[in-house]
Amino acid sequence: MEKVQEFRGVDNLVYAKVTDDTLETYTTSDVKTLAPVAEISKTTETSSDSKYYDNKAMLTINAEGADTVALTVPALDLMTLADLVGKPIDAETGAFIDGETEPTYIALGYRLKKTDGTYRYVWRYKCSCTIPDETSATENAGTDTNNQQLTITGVHTIHKFTKTGKSQKALVVDESDGKADLKNFFKAVTTIDTLKPLTPPSSE
């Protein structure tokens, strides 16, 4: 009987700045912790249209656009916020300088935990982050606080990876398949070209 699993947990939210994305090269900076994470959701822009011949729908054209990832995180430290949205930090004072934005792309990594205790590992290769809203209300007799919502848009790389000969938006690996070596998955941005098989494969 096929196992039935659901998602129940998320952790290990990390990022790295994309330093080069060309046909020949895809490189990033060192991986950094982004923040503890409460919730992650992803939607993908899609469209579909049917073509008619002989009075019948005979052909369906499907198109796929960008991914939108919504993150619920605590109030971000200023250095991380500046990294994500392309704003400068004053080195002498640590102040966030809310001036012109420098176009910035990041790779985004995280794990989704399933109800069997295994994880689904994810790297998204070319993401931009909108400046998050901030809300803070007066203290009162209750325990209300406010977190932050990050909206991340993921697109295809320019780079075409060697193993597939194509660009990619993301790499998703399921630990329960027992086929991939995941111990260093978040040490650097793992791509389809750098992901190694597990030797020997784990038993199912």
Side-chain angles (χ1 to χ4, degrees):
M1 182 177 176
E2 186 175 338
K3 292 182 180 179
V4 176
Q5 298 294 334
E6 293 189 344
F7 293 118
R8 192 173 185 269
V10 59
D11 67 3
N12 214 88
L13 185 63
V14 295
Y15 75 101
K17 297 187 78 169
V18 177
T19 54
D20 200 12
D21 176 28
T22 65
L23 287 175
E24 297 78 18
T25 307
Y26 173 83
T27 58
T28 66
S29 65
D30 292 340
V31 174
K32 299 178 183 179
T33 297
L34 197 158
V37 58
E39 186 174 356
I40 291 179
S41 65
K42 179 190 78 77
T43 58
T44 301
E45 180 186 3
T46 59
S47 61
S48 180
D49 189 26
S50 296
K51 301 292 185 179
Y52 287 75
Y53 297 92
D54 289 343
N55 305 316
K56 294 182 287 291
M58 290 188 172
L59 180 66
T60 301
I61 306 298
N62 295 312
E64 181 179 314
D67 294 334
T68 299
V69 181
L71 308 175
T72 303
V73 296
L76 293 175
D77 66 87
L78 293 179
M79 181 64 76
T80 300
L81 178 61
D83 250 0
L84 295 177
V85 302
K87 302 278 190 178
I89 288 285
D90 181 60
E92 186 176 15
T93 64
F96 178 90
I97 302 172
D98 195 358
E100 293 184 2
T101 300
E102 178 182 340
T104 299
Y105 288 103
I106 63 166
L108 183 73
Y110 54 89
R111 301 191 305 180
L112 303 175
K113 190 176 184 180
K114 299 186 297 178
T115 48
D116 65 353
T118 63
Y119 289 87
R120 186 166 291 177
Y121 288 67
V122 180
W123 269 114
R124 301 196 172 280
Y125 293 136
K126 192 172 184 179
C127 302
S128 58
C129 180
T130 59
I131 298 174
D133 294 337
E134 295 179 0
T135 300
S136 187
T138 185
E139 291 182 357
N140 53 35
T143 58
D144 294 342
T145 59
N146 295 99
N147 51 32
Q148 287 190 292
Q149 307 290 319
L150 294 180
T151 301
I152 307 286
T153 301
V155 297
H156 277 267
T157 58
I158 296 171
H159 180 65
K160 294 183 178 181
F161 293 91
T162 300
K163 192 168 186 178
T164 62
K166 297 179 180 180
S167 64
Q168 286 181 236
K169 287 192 292 184
L171 182 73
V172 182
V173 185
D174 207 313
E175 181 184 17
S176 61
D177 291 337
K179 294 183 177 181
D181 185 349
L182 298 169
K183 64 179 179 293
N184 294 317
F185 193 81
F186 295 116
K187 292 286 180 66
V189 177
T190 300
T191 72
I192 192 61
D193 290 339
T194 61
L195 182 68
K196 303 298 183 185
L198 193 61
T199 308
S202 64
S203 58
E204 295 184 358

